[in-house]
């Protein structure tokens, strides 16, 4: 280990410093154990942590990675993993107790960012043949670029960010004729860890290959170009093939998501001015966390050295033109809707824009490091010209609205770097002091970026997450102990958008980019808070009809949520903070219905009508369970109601379109009965419901049914909501009473032909049913290809109801039923992966040993750019060789090692002084 660290001290240093800086930044914002906060914010609060917790549970219990019942009534967990949780680092979570899983997430984030910097250092080390502190410094700049600091809460993206330098290093190796293993392995891991960001990398390779090839080729030869292009294509296909075990089932699963139905650009559009985008390169710019400009900050040093890159006459014009074109293309991609759409896999992302921007920082830092190699070749006058150019740019932009923080930080960085460079050029500072000051500036930029990024992203409270977590989990465990059957439970009112995964129970709610949109559409029609466009469906206490349709047997109420007097449920258990209610009318995960249910009309606007029509179709009898309760009075501020249609759609216009509007409406219970309310407003997010001086706020922006409980005759119901600034809009609103006696008759007709579940696991359900007549078994198992159903041992055709729920035809009589699941595409993906693996091994075995370097490919560091011999002598005399900045040379690393070896030999037991070192061999090396 000591020899490894000594041999790789600069890359190891990158890892240690990056990890330390991230811990310092996390301490600044008070993350536990440095404070009382936790790392989860935004979607990591709602999604990434609950999904990590589900993975952690499966790893510790040995559960299947194919399917999870704790997500959205049952979900393809392999698909969820492919987007959120296939990071190789997550395997380490098994070592952490569940109560410290949040701290593991913090450590995993820091580790990924540290690996990003380390891998960038390795990339520089091998591409530029450097082994000194500069690869550490630029590795830090990559690790703390604006993308990593703005989007580190999107932890699942960081693996690909970290692997990009290794992939591009591997790409260079193939072009040089030096091997393909690194490229194939790194690209395959990137695609497995996150197929989405992996797709961006594949797009980037398609472009960047030509940039690298033509910037490094000495003399174009068509046959050579075709050969290298073929090799890149072949090795890319092998990498994709190695990842096929994940990619194929992922692709099949995504075909059911809303992503395939996203909007397309219909006309040319730009987002920002070019100046706004360029200003985001400057230090002091707060990173974009959810929406805004692209995160492209890469350090002020990078900007300065890019200027050196273009000014140096040591870099060919051809290369400069190619890289300038790439930079321009990226900037256009950030600003033109068509290019943005293509980059994002032919899809417009929902917030968190420009998810490919980390590749821009990679290119900028690569150019900057190349420019840094030639820094000694530019003159004092050129340094003055570069600094003056930056100063003029900052002064002009200050008058155009640049923030004070960005201006002052940029001016400070410009002044410090200019002074240091001038002192160095005028030899007013010793080499060792110059190196130390240079390192301090890089460390300062990196730490400042880390702290600014974490402070901008923020944190959340640890002690309150999840709300009543221990109490709810204890209540869930109690229910499962007392009732070990298969059923679902969920919250009376949501806490997060993934409560089942967060608290650990078989539930209904789910929010994920991978959500099956057919399920969202289905649940939306029956009155749940669902939105295919927003990739979610969220449960809140609903009608007995809905609860029975989705196999919901228990409901959890926190802090007095729920009503003890309710037609749908009774109290099951209760303590000071958590109440568990039991559905009075539970139905199994499957029950027989009439064939007419295939023609059930679920396209009506009114969810109560949809539920009644389901019963009519399923049983063959009409049930008027719900009776409309009209509004008793309505009051509006800056709103005028203009129309009422379908008994529930109210249109309005704002009197002043530049101001918000407010509505207050009242209902009165016509008799002592159970009541429900459905509310949706196209320009409103939340609705307050007040009954007997108790007010509860609901998120109704996607529409939802609200359970009001059994209300005494004459009870007043007050409804309040605010509408957004707009000219007009509408809201769907209906209050109803519920006839429990009629429902009992309907329930009896459904309950006598239920599927009796005899055993179940993550991927299997077995049971039996005694069908009293011909029909089909309606199940609340979300349909997707991959499910297999056997009736009496024979595989049968699945005919999904409304393309959402599994339905299986049965004849009258007793039947044994078995449901089993393997993700669709997994078998074919496994075969492709195995074939690719065999092909990869054969290529390694039978490919001739690679040449040291392709004669047609120019080295990134050329021999004629070695340091002058007198500089070497001066460094030796000053005993500062280890601290010396040695500029380009294709054998620079070897030269430095040779020099160091001679110095060590000169200081052996015989006491030979440094001055007596024989420089003839060094001069010979220099000439070679």
């Amino acid at each position: 280990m000591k020899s490894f660290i000594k041999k790789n001290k600069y890359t190891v240093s990158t890892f240690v410093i990056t990890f330390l800086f991230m811990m310092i930044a996390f301490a600044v914002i008070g993350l536990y154990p440095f404070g009382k906060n936790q790392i989860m914010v935004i979607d990591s609060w709602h999604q990434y942590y609950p999904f990590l917790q589900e993975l952690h549970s499966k790893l510790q219990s040995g559960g299947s990675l194919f399917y999870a019942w704790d997500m959205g009534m049952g979900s393809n967990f392999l698909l969820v993993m492919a987007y959120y949780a296939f990071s190789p680092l997550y395997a380490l979570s098994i070592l952490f107790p569940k109560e410290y899983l949040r701290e593991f997430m913090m450590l995993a984030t820091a580790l990924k960012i540290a690996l990003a910097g380390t891998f960038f250092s390795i990339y520089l080390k091998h591409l530029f043949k450097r082994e000194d502190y500069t690869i550490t410094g630029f590795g830090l700049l990559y690790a703390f670029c604006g993308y990593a600091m703005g989007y580190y809460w999107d932890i699942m993206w960081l693996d690909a960010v970290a692997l990009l330098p290794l992939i591009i290093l591997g790409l260079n190796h193939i072009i040089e004729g030096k091997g393909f293993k690194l490229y194939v392995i790194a690209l395959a891991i990137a695609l497995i860890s996150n197929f989405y960001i992996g797709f961006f990398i594949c797009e980037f390779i398609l472009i960047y290959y030509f940039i690298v090839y033509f910037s490094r080729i000495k003399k174009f030869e068509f046959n050579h170009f075709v050969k290298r292009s073929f090799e890149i294509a072949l090795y890319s296909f092998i990498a994709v093939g190695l990842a096929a075990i994940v990619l194929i089932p992922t692709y099949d699963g995504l075909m059911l998501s809303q992503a395939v139905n996203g909007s397309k650009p219909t006309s040319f559009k730009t987002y920002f001015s070019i100046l706004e985008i360029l200003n985001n390169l400057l230090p002091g710019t707060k990173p974009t966390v959810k929406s805004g400009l692209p995160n492209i900050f890469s350090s002020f040093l990078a900007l300065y050295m890019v200027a050196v890159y273009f000014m140096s006459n040591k870099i060919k014009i051809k290369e400069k033109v190619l890289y300038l074109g790439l930079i321009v293309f990226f900037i256009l991609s950030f600003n033109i809707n068509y290019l943005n759409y293509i980059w994002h896999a032919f899809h417009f992302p929902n917030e968190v824009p420009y998810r490919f921007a980390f590749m821009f920082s990679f290119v900028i830092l690569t150019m900057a490091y190349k420019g840094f190699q030639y820094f000694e070749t530019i003159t004092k006058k050129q340094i003055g010209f570069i600094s003056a150019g930056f100063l003029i740019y900052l002064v002009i932009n200050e008058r155009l609205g640049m923030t004070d923080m960005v201006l002052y930080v940029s001016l400070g960085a410009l002044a410090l770097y200019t002074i240091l460079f001038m002192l160095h050029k005028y030899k007013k500072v010793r080499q060792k002091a110059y190196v130390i000051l240079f390192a301090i500036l890089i460390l300062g930029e990196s730490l400042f970026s880390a702290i600014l990024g974490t402070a901008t992203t923020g944190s959340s409270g640890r002690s309150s997450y999840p709300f009543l977590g221990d109490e709810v989990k204890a209540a869930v465990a109690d229910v499962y102990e007392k009732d070990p059957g298969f059923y679902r439970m969920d919250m009376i009112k949501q806490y997060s958008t993934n409560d089942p995964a967060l608290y650990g129970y078989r539930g209904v709610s789910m929010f994920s980019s991978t959500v099956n949109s057919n399920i969202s559409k289905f649940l939306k029609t029956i009155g749940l808070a669902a939105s295919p466009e927003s990739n979610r469906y969220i449960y809140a206490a609903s009608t007995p009809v809905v609860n029975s349709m989705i196999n919901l047997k228990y409901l959890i109420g926190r802090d007095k949520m729920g009503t003890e007097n309710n037609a749908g449920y009774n109290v099951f258990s209760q303590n000071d903070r958590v109440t568990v209610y039991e559905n009075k009318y539970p139905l199994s995960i499957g029950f027989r219905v009439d064939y007419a249910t295939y023609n059930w009309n679920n396209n009506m606007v009114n969810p109560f009508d949809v539920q009644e029509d389901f019963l009519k179709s399923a049983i063959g009898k009409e049930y008027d369970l719900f009776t409309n309760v009209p509004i008793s009075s309505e009051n509006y501020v800056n709103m005028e109601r203009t129309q009422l249609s379908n008994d529930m759609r109210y249109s309005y216009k704002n009197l002043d379109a530049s101001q918000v509007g407010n509505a207050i409406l009242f209902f009165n219970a016509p008799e002592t009965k159970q009541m429900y309310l459905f509310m949706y407003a196209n320009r409103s997010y939340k609705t307050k419901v007040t009954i007997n001086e108790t007010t509860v706020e609901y998120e109704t922006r996607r529409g939802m049914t609200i359970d009001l409980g059994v209300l005494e005759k004459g009870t007043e119901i007050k409804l309040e909501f605010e509408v957004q600034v707009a000219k007009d809009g509408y809201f769907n609103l209906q209050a109803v009473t519920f006839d429990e006696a009629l429902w009992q008759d309907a329930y009896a007709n459904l309950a006598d032909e239920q599927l009796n579940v005899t055993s179940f696991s993550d991927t299997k359900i077995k049971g039996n049913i005694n069908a009293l007549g011909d029909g089909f078994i309606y199940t609340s198992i979300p349909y997707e290809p991959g499910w297999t159903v056997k009736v009496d041992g024979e595989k049968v055709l699945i005919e999904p109801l409304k393309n959402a729920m599994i339905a299986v035809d049965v004849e009258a009589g007793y039947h044994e039923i078995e449901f089993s699941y393997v993700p669709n595409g997994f078998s074919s993906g496994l075969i492709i992966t195995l074939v690719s693996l065999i092909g990869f091994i054969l290529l390694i075995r039978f490919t001739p040993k690679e040449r040291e370097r392709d004669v047609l490919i120019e080295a990134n560091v050329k021999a004629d750019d070695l340091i002058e011999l007198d500089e070497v002598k001066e460094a030796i005399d000053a005993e500062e060789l280890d601290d010396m900045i040695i500029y380009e040379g294709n054998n620079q690393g070897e030269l430095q090692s040779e020099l160091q070896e001679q110095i060590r030999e000169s200081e052996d037991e015989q006491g030979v002084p440094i001055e007596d070192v024989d420089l003839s061999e060094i001069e010979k090396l220099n000439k070679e």
Side-chain angles (χ1 to χ4, degrees), residues 361-429:
S361 292
F362 173 85
V363 171
I364 287 291
L365 286 165
T366 297
M367 295 170 63
Y369 197 76
K370 184 77 177 277
F372 176 72
Q373 307 301 297
Y374 293 100
F375 178 71
E376 291 298 310
T377 67
I378 67 170
T379 65
K380 307 177 190 70
K381 184 177 181 180
Q382 288 174 312
I383 290 177
F385 182 78
I386 292 172
S387 296
F390 276 118
L391 181 61
I392 293 170
Y393 180 88
L394 292 173
V395 170
I396 292 175
N397 275 274
E398 189 274 335
R399 297 183 177 276
L400 297 177
M402 180 184 292
T403 65
D404 288 345
M405 180 176 179
V406 174
L407 175 65
Y408 295 142
V409 172
S410 298
L411 285 173
L414 174 61
L416 291 172
Y417 279 113
T418 302
I419 292 170
L420 179 62
F421 293 153
M422 283 299 188
L423 288 173
H424 174 66
K425 283 294 183 180
Y426 281 100
K427 300 186 183 299
K428 297 298 184 182
V429 60

Side-chain angles (χ1 to χ4, degrees), residues 199-493:
F199 178 82
F200 299 163
I201 291 177
C202 290
E203 290 180 300
F204 180 62
I205 291 170
L206 188 62
I207 300 169
Y208 198 56
Y209 161 65
F210 296 100
I211 304 294
V212 174
Y213 183 87
F214 286 106
S215 65
R216 298 189 60 186
I217 196 74
K218 288 181 179 179
K219 179 182 177 182
F220 180 77
E221 290 186 6
F222 181 75
N223 290 338
H224 183 271
F225 171 70
V226 170
K227 179 184 176 183
R228 285 290 180 259
S229 300
F230 172 78
E231 289 172 344
I232 293 294
L234 174 63
Y235 301 140
S236 298
F237 277 118
I238 291 175
V240 172
L242 290 174
I245 192 172
V246 171
L247 297 180
I248 299 298
T250 295
Y251 176 82
D252 287 347
L254 286 175
M255 291 301 99
L256 300 174
S257 72
Q258 185 63 23
V260 299
N261 300 315
S263 61
K264 301 177 182 179
T266 56
S267 60
F268 182 86
K269 178 183 177 182
T270 58
Y271 302 118
F272 307 103
S273 70
I274 299 299
L275 203 59
E276 286 179 298
I277 295 174
L278 293 178
N279 283 346
N280 239 37
L281 286 164
L282 296 172
T285 301
K286 289 185 177 180
T288 293
V289 176
K290 282 188 68 176
S291 59
L293 287 157
N295 282 321
I296 55 176
F297 166 73
S298 306
S299 78
F300 188 81
L301 175 63
L303 293 181
Y304 206 102
M305 289 302 160
V306 166
V308 172
Y309 173 91
F310 283 109
M311 188 161 287
S312 173
N313 58 12
K314 292 288 186 178
I315 301 174
K316 291 184 177 180
I317 294 176
K318 175 184 68 174
E319 180 181 334
K320 293 178 183 179
V321 170
L322 287 169
Y323 273 90
L324 179 60
L326 181 59
I327 294 300
V328 170
F329 177 71
F330 264 114
I331 292 174
L332 293 176
S333 297
F334 297 140
N335 206 32
I336 296 175
N337 60 335
Y338 283 102
L339 293 176
N340 185 38
Y341 174 78
I342 294 171
W343 270 111
H344 287 103
F346 300 93
H347 178 73
F348 285 119
N350 182 19
E351 295 187 314
V352 196
Y354 314 109
R355 303 176 183 190
F356 57 93
F358 68 97
M359 293 178 287
F360 179 84
S361 292
F362 173 85
V363 171
I364 287 291
L365 286 165
T366 297
M367 295 170 63
Y369 197 76
K370 184 77 177 277
F372 176 72
Q373 307 301 297
Y374 293 100
F375 178 71
E376 291 298 310
T377 67
I378 67 170
T379 65
K380 307 177 190 70
K381 184 177 181 180
Q382 288 174 312
I383 290 177
F385 182 78
I386 292 172
S387 296
F390 276 118
L391 181 61
I392 293 170
Y393 180 88
L394 292 173
V395 170
I396 292 175
N397 275 274
E398 189 274 335
R399 297 183 177 276
L400 297 177
M402 180 184 292
T403 65
D404 288 345
M405 180 176 179
V406 174
L407 175 65
Y408 295 142
V409 172
S410 298
L411 285 173
L414 174 61
L416 291 172
Y417 279 113
T418 302
I419 292 170
L420 179 62
F421 293 153
M422 283 299 188
L423 288 173
H424 174 66
K425 283 294 183 180
Y426 281 100
K427 300 186 183 299
K428 297 298 184 182
V429 60
R430 288 173 61 84
Q431 187 68 33
K432 181 174 285 188
Y434 172 69
V435 169
I436 292 172
L437 292 172
F438 189 76
I440 288 173
L441 288 180
I442 292 179
L443 293 172
E445 279 211 74
S446 300
L447 184 57
F448 177 74
S449 179
I451 294 173
L452 179 62
T454 53
T456 303
T457 303
S459 60
S460 58
R462 187 177 190 274
S463 61
S464 60
Y465 180 86
F467 179 56
L468 297 180
D470 293 339
E471 292 87 344
V472 170
K473 290 174 183 177
V476 169
D478 179 63
V479 172
Y480 282 152
E481 181 180 357
K482 293 175 180 176
D483 186 351
F486 187 92
Y487 48 81
R488 298 189 178 95
M489 65 176 78
D490 220 313
M491 296 292 174
I492 292 285
K493 186 174 182 289

